[in-house]
Amino acid sequence: MNLRTTLKTYASIFIMLIAFGLHAQNDFQGEAVYMSKTTVDLDNFGGRELSPERKKMIMERMKSMLEKTFILTFNKTESMYKEDEALESPAQGGMRMMGGMGSNGPVYKNVKTNEYLQDQEFFGKQFLINDSLPKYEWKMTGETKQIGQYMCFKATAVKKVDAADWTNMRRRDRDEDKKKDDEKEDAEVQKDSTKKEEFKDPFDEIEIPEEIEITAWYTMQIPVSAGPGEYWGLPGLILEINSGRTTILCTKITLNPENKKEIKKPTKGKEVGREEYQDIVKKKMEEMRAMFRARRGGRRN
């Protein structure tokens, strides 16, 4: 074999290896199972007077809403995150509605096209949130920990809280204004001793913070910029997210499963942008508040 023939042979092998590598990269897929758990402090929402047995019963009924299993299907550029319907109990659908608040559907992300799609149901209406990927200013802390067989690195960021994110609802802190409120109430009582007790709007007692800090743990052993829900943007798969009172933890990973799933974009629902959807939620919440006040006002007359 002369030099020219040898070079041609090596070149052919090199081209075949590149082609094989590209095929393997394009054909790569993974599947990650996540457990999501949200804690609720009933004492902050009028539960202090409830008996321990009553609290336990309420928490058991809310369990299907507070503890869920999700599956993230991903490749190098795309991912689809949705609830594991096989584990959904018959009662879960009703609890999930939260009195009409709706439920989150599949979330599709594409880091190559900067595309974000979410199937969202809200008060019986189906929406398709179509927007660019949310931006996170991740800060690397240098901390590490082991999650299963994967070495993970810690990163933190601050994110804005969605108007419909009931998981971050909290009792409004009125300690600073309590003294002023008491003084004002005493003055009003003295002015009109026959005045009926003022109606207290329960919506005034609840607030959603404008932003919260989130913590992510990601592994560079799986170098894809994917993660559960809306989260992404790190140089490795996110295996754990701590956001407010919610923790999302990866419990199982399968790389290149035998039966690969097609990652399809959600298409159902009225197409809206993220800000437009937030405006719809805020408007509906204000309508609910006005209706509640009107009903309460009617009862007093």
Side-chain angles (χ1 to χ4, degrees):
M1 183 181 293
N2 56 36
L3 179 61
R4 186 173 181 178
T5 303
T6 302
L7 290 175
K8 287 179 67 177
T9 301
Y10 281 133
S12 298
I13 294 174
F14 182 68
I15 291 173
M16 289 175 61
L17 289 174
I18 292 177
F20 177 79
L22 290 174
H23 174 74
Q25 184 182 41
N26 292 333
D27 198 42
F28 168 79
Q29 189 179 99
E31 185 175 279
V33 178
Y34 291 86
M35 294 292 294
S36 173
K37 184 173 183 178
T38 301
T39 60
V40 172
D41 187 355
L42 291 179
D43 290 345
N44 283 333
F45 296 95
R48 293 176 180 174
E49 299 180 0
L50 297 177
S51 65
E53 293 77 16
R54 181 66 174 171
K55 288 182 182 180
K56 183 178 179 181
M57 184 182 72
I58 293 174
M59 294 306 297
E60 282 296 324
R61 294 186 64 181
M62 294 178 65
K63 186 175 181 180
S64 62
M65 181 179 65
L66 300 175
E67 299 180 15
K68 294 177 177 290
T69 301
F70 294 87
I71 296 177
L72 176 72
T73 304
F74 59 91
N75 55 36
K76 287 290 184 179
T77 59
E78 297 176 290
S79 67
M80 176 65 78
Y81 182 75
K82 62 180 182 178
E83 187 174 351
D84 187 357
E85 298 176 354
L87 298 179
E88 183 175 340
S89 64
Q92 188 166 340
M95 288 300 296
R96 182 174 54 188
M97 293 300 290
M98 276 291 287
M101 287 292 287
S103 60
N104 297 330
V107 176
Y108 170 87
K109 302 192 295 288
N110 190 318
V111 299
K112 185 176 181 179
T113 61
N114 195 35
E115 192 173 7
Y116 177 92
L117 293 167
Q118 180 177 343
D119 183 336
Q120 179 72 48
E121 187 270 334
F122 183 68
F123 275 90
K125 295 183 179 180
Q126 202 73 28
F127 294 93
L128 178 64
I129 302 174
N130 187 348
D131 215 314
S132 57
L133 290 170
K135 295 181 180 179
Y136 297 104
E137 299 294 333
W138 293 109
K139 295 181 180 179
M140 311 302 183
T141 67
E143 297 179 55
T144 62
K145 75 172 181 179
Q146 196 82 9
I147 297 180
Q149 65 185 47
Y150 297 95
M151 175 62 69
C152 294
F153 299 86
K154 182 180 178 180
T156 62
V158 174
K159 81 162 204 170
K160 293 182 179 180
V161 178
D162 293 340
D165 186 0
W166 62 268
T167 64
N168 282 298
M169 286 182 181
R170 64 191 182 191
R171 190 178 183 88
R172 193 182 300 276
D173 186 2
R174 298 185 178 277
D175 290 342
E176 295 182 0
D177 299 326
K178 188 176 186 304
K179 185 177 180 181
K180 294 181 180 179
D181 291 343
D182 289 343
E183 291 175 352
K184 181 179 179 181
E185 183 177 350
D186 291 340
E188 291 179 350
V189 170
Q190 291 177 3
K191 184 177 180 181
D192 185 3
S193 59
T194 62
K195 181 181 178 181
K196 295 181 180 180
E197 183 180 353
E198 183 180 356
F199 165 64
K200 293 184 179 180
D201 188 344
F203 286 89
D204 287 337
E205 300 300 316
I206 299 174
E207 67 176 359
I208 297 178
E210 292 185 1
E211 57 184 26
I212 57 173
E213 183 177 79
I214 54 176
T215 299
W217 293 91
Y218 67 97
T219 178
M220 296 181 67
Q221 292 172 248
I222 306 177
V224 296
S225 187
E230 65 192 78
Y231 302 105
W232 74 289
L234 288 165
L237 181 65
I238 299 173
L239 299 190
E240 182 179 335
I241 282 285
N242 297 288
S243 174
R245 293 192 299 270
T246 299
T247 296
I248 306 173
L249 178 64
C250 181
T251 58
K252 181 181 178 181
I253 296 176
T254 304
L255 298 179
N256 289 316
E258 184 176 339
N259 297 318
K260 291 183 171 59
K261 298 178 181 178
E262 183 179 359
I263 300 178
K264 295 182 179 180
K265 298 180 182 181
T267 58
K268 296 181 180 179
K270 178 183 177 182
E271 191 169 313
V272 294
R274 186 180 287 108
E275 290 187 5
E276 182 181 357
Y277 178 73
Q278 291 299 312
D279 289 339
I280 292 172
V281 172
K282 291 177 182 177
K283 183 178 180 180
K284 188 64 178 180
M285 297 301 288
E286 287 299 321
E287 289 178 2
M288 289 177 59
R289 182 173 183 174
M291 290 173 60
F292 180 82
R293 291 180 66 90
R295 286 200 299 266
R296 293 292 297 182
R299 289 179 184 176
R300 289 183 298 153
N301 294 331

